[in-house]
């Protein structure tokens, strides 16, 4: 299945309309408490089925944000998967952020890890190594803690993904760590908010 056509949570307009109608009936039959609960469920389904439209910036060698979220960390660190020096950027996906996950670059999926980090025994992760046609490597690791119990991915080793394409969904908040080449050009600081597929995290540097 193409990454750009990855299925969303099944919350269409007819379902939402039905929930609103049921809430109205409950308001007349059972009171406001039941109606309020159904309306909250409708709002939750609407939030989880969001897929904001994106226009990927036409910037050569750009790396776009994979999620709507806040930069919570930036450091020079070792990449535990590819065993290299890297620039590590960490982003936090909040409860109210769109759950869509997008590919930060165009390239080929080289390898997948559906387990813990190789250098620690804590935390569940879903990690993907993507390589561009120019041999630039990006590792994207999704941390799944107790606050992020539901993740849906569509990655296949050897698959090509387009920059900004939908590659999955991460519901109920989470954390995304990106390991970029150590010489990546960047000027973002912790606290900066980004939009998936639209905002640039950095740019690859080539001689």
């Amino acid at each position: 299945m193409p990454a750009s056509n990855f299925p969303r949570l099944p919350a269409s307009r007819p379902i939402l309309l039905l929930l609103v109608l049921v809430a109205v009936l409950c308001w007349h039959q059972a009171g406001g408490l039941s109606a309020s609960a159904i309306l909250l469920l409708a709002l939750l389904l609407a939030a989880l089925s969001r897929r904001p439209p994106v226009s990927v910036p036409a910037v050569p060698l750009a790396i776009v944000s994979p999620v709507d979220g806040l930069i919570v960390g930036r450091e020079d660190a070792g990449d535990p998967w590819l065993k290299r020096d890297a620039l590590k950027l960490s982003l936090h996906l909040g409860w109210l952020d769109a759950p869509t996950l997008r590919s930060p670059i165009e390239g080929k999926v080289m390898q997948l890890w559906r387990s813990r980090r190789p250098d620690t025994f804590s935390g569940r992760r879903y990690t993907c190594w993507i390589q561009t046609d120019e041999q630039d490597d990006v590792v994207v690791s999704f941390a799944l803690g107790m606050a992020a119990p539901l993740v849906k991915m569509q990655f296949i080793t050897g698959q090509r993904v387009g920059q900004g394409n939908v590659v999955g969904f991460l519901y109920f908040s989470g954390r995304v760590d990106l390991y970029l080449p150590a010489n990546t050009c960047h000027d973002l600081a912790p606290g900066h908010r980004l939009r998936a597929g639209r905002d640039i995290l950095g740019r690859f540097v080539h001689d």
Side-chain angles (χ1 to χ4, degrees):
M1 181 183 300
S4 58
N5 296 325
F6 193 85
R8 288 180 287 178
L9 197 69
S12 62
R13 289 183 180 179
I15 295 176
L16 296 175
L17 179 59
L18 177 62
L19 287 174
V20 172
L21 291 176
V22 171
V24 172
L25 291 176
C26 286
W27 182 274
H28 290 287
Q29 299 295 327
L33 184 60
S34 298
S36 298
I38 295 174
L39 285 176
L40 286 175
L41 176 60
L43 290 174
L44 177 62
L45 289 175
L48 293 181
S49 64
R50 286 182 298 159
R51 185 186 292 181
V54 302
S55 178
V56 179
V59 178
L61 305 178
I63 308 162
V64 299
S65 177
V67 296
D68 286 357
L70 192 71
I71 295 180
V72 295
R74 183 186 69 182
E75 62 178 318
D76 295 324
D79 180 343
W81 285 275
L82 300 188
K83 307 301 182 184
R84 58 169 180 165
D85 293 333
L87 167 66
K88 178 184 176 182
L89 294 177
S90 299
L91 293 83
H92 175 71
L93 178 72
W95 281 73
L96 298 180
D97 290 318
T100 309
L101 304 175
R102 296 182 179 273
S103 176
I105 58 173
E106 178 179 357
K108 180 180 178 181
V109 177
M110 304 298 292
Q111 192 169 345
L112 302 172
W113 296 269
R114 297 179 178 88
S115 62
R116 308 174 188 273
R117 276 181 48 167
D119 60 347
T120 183
F121 292 100
S122 63
R124 296 178 298 129
R125 286 183 173 265
Y126 191 111
T127 303
C128 178
W129 167 21
I130 307 174
Q131 186 177 81
T132 69
D133 293 338
E134 294 77 24
Q135 308 300 305
D136 295 305
D137 296 307
V138 171
V139 172
V140 188
S141 183
F142 306 99
L144 311 177
M146 291 300 294
L150 180 57
V151 62
K152 298 178 69 175
M153 295 289 180
Q154 180 66 22
F155 280 124
I156 301 173
T157 301
Q159 167 192 6
R160 286 196 63 85
V161 291
Q163 187 180 50
N165 280 178
V166 175
V167 293
F169 293 87
L170 181 60
Y171 301 106
F172 309 120
S173 84
R175 179 186 173 105
V176 180
D177 294 324
L178 291 99
Y179 293 86
L180 310 174
N183 66 341
T184 299
C185 178
H186 67 95
D187 56 4
L188 300 179
H192 194 98
R193 179 164 288 279
L194 298 169
R195 298 168 299 171
R198 290 173 284 182
D199 291 338
I200 296 175
L201 283 174
R203 291 182 297 276
F204 295 120
V205 176
H206 290 174
D207 295 335

